[in-house]
């Protein structure tokens, strides 16, 4: 058995349930109002993953961490309006769609938006988060993007500290007190980092 993590592009076949569980463990507080109860939420996430919009870290063949990203209108977590209504019904599904719409973030030109990063509790502090972020940067570079963008909520300082260690800088904080009682957070901070050193000063590069 090799305990060292191996980073791979994509969600491995058969790893959907594990990825959904990790994602829910990391973001269930944020997504609970829209996708609860947890068992149903995890099943929904697993059924609608876009395998080619994730980067995974494997330890002994098991997914120990995952980072999702959005490109060309598709992110790691899928499932459209019809899927939500089919899973939750029209009466309960419509308000859930409204909540999910509040969380939607669209990329700007030449920008890759991260769709969340999650590492299993037993593997935290082992460098997996950094490996995933570096691979996300490589994906962005290959796609011709100049920067990576993500959003972090105010009740997740551990994630923000990770992003800051890897070059992300806060550019905007949106106060969302109306979501604190519903989704458990009261502010969302947008963070960005250039894909390459040249991308940090695009005007100089053009000269």
């Amino acid at each position: 058995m090799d305990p060292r993590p191996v980073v791979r592009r994509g969600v491995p076949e058969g790893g959907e349930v594990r990825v959904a569980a990790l994602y829910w463990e990391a973001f269930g507080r944020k997504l609970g109002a829209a996708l609860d109860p947890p068992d149903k939420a995890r099943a929904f996430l697993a059924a609608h993953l876009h395998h080619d919009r994730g980067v995974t870290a494997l330890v002994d063949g098991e997914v120990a961490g995952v980072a999702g990203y959005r490109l060309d209108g598709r992110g790691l977590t899928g499932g459209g309006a019809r899927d939500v209504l089919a899973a939750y019904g029209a009466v309960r599904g419509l308000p859930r769609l409204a909540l999910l719409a509040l969380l939607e973030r669209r990329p700007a030109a030449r920008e890759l938006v991260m769709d969340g990063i999650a590492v299993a509790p037993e593997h935290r502090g082992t460098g997996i988060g950094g490996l995933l972020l570096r691979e996300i940067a490589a994906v962005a570079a290959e796609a011709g993007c100049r920067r990576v963008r993500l959003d972090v909520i105010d009740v997740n300082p551990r994630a923000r500290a990770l992003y800051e260690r890897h070059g992300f800088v806060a550019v905007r904080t949106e106060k969302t007190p109306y979501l604190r009682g519903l989704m458990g957070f009261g502010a969302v901070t947008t963070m960005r980092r250039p894909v390459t050193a040249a991308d940090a000063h695009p005007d100089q590069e053009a000269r």
Side-chain angles (χ1 to χ4, degrees):
M1 293 287 186
D2 188 347
R4 292 175 298 180
V6 177
V7 176
R8 293 281 185 265
R9 301 273 178 96
V11 174
E13 292 296 331
E16 298 86 357
V17 171
R18 172 68 170 171
V19 167
L22 290 177
Y23 198 86
W24 184 255
E25 194 274 335
F27 302 105
R29 184 173 183 176
K30 180 179 178 181
L31 297 173
L35 295 179
D36 268 341
D39 287 350
K40 192 164 190 173
R42 287 189 290 266
F44 182 86
L45 292 172
H48 298 288
L49 288 175
H50 291 140
H51 290 65
D52 62 343
R53 289 296 185 266
V55 173
T56 51
L58 308 179
V59 175
D60 291 337
E62 181 179 60
V63 177
V66 58
Y69 60 90
R70 181 169 294 275
L71 272 177
D72 301 325
R74 296 168 63 246
L76 173 65
T77 54
R82 288 185 179 180
D83 300 310
V84 173
L85 294 177
Y88 293 93
V91 174
R92 295 183 177 181
L94 287 174
R96 293 169 188 269
L97 288 174
L99 292 173
L100 290 171
L102 290 174
L103 302 174
E104 183 72 17
R105 296 291 186 269
R106 297 185 181 279
R110 303 191 71 179
E111 180 179 71
L112 181 146
V113 174
M114 281 190 60
D115 198 20
I117 183 169
V119 177
E122 65 271 23
H123 293 292
R124 290 172 188 163
T126 64
I128 285 178
L131 292 174
L132 292 172
L133 288 174
R134 282 193 285 274
E135 193 64 23
I136 288 288
V139 170
E142 292 172 18
C145 296
R146 287 186 176 273
R147 68 188 183 196
V148 179
R149 190 187 96 207
L150 57 85
D151 295 314
V152 61
I153 57 179
D154 58 349
V155 293
N156 198 355
R158 184 188 182 102
R160 178 164 177 166
L162 170 67
Y163 301 141
E164 289 174 340
R165 288 198 302 272
H166 288 272
F168 284 86
V169 176
V171 296
R172 179 177 68 250
T173 296
E174 178 184 357
K175 301 293 185 181
T176 56
Y178 53 91
L179 292 178
R180 185 171 295 280
L182 189 62
M183 293 185 169
F185 62 92
V188 179
T189 296
T190 297
M191 306 184 76
R192 295 174 180 157
R193 64 146 278 191
V195 172
T196 68
D199 293 327
H201 305 285
D203 294 339
Q204 293 181 13
E205 183 187 45
R207 291 174 187 173

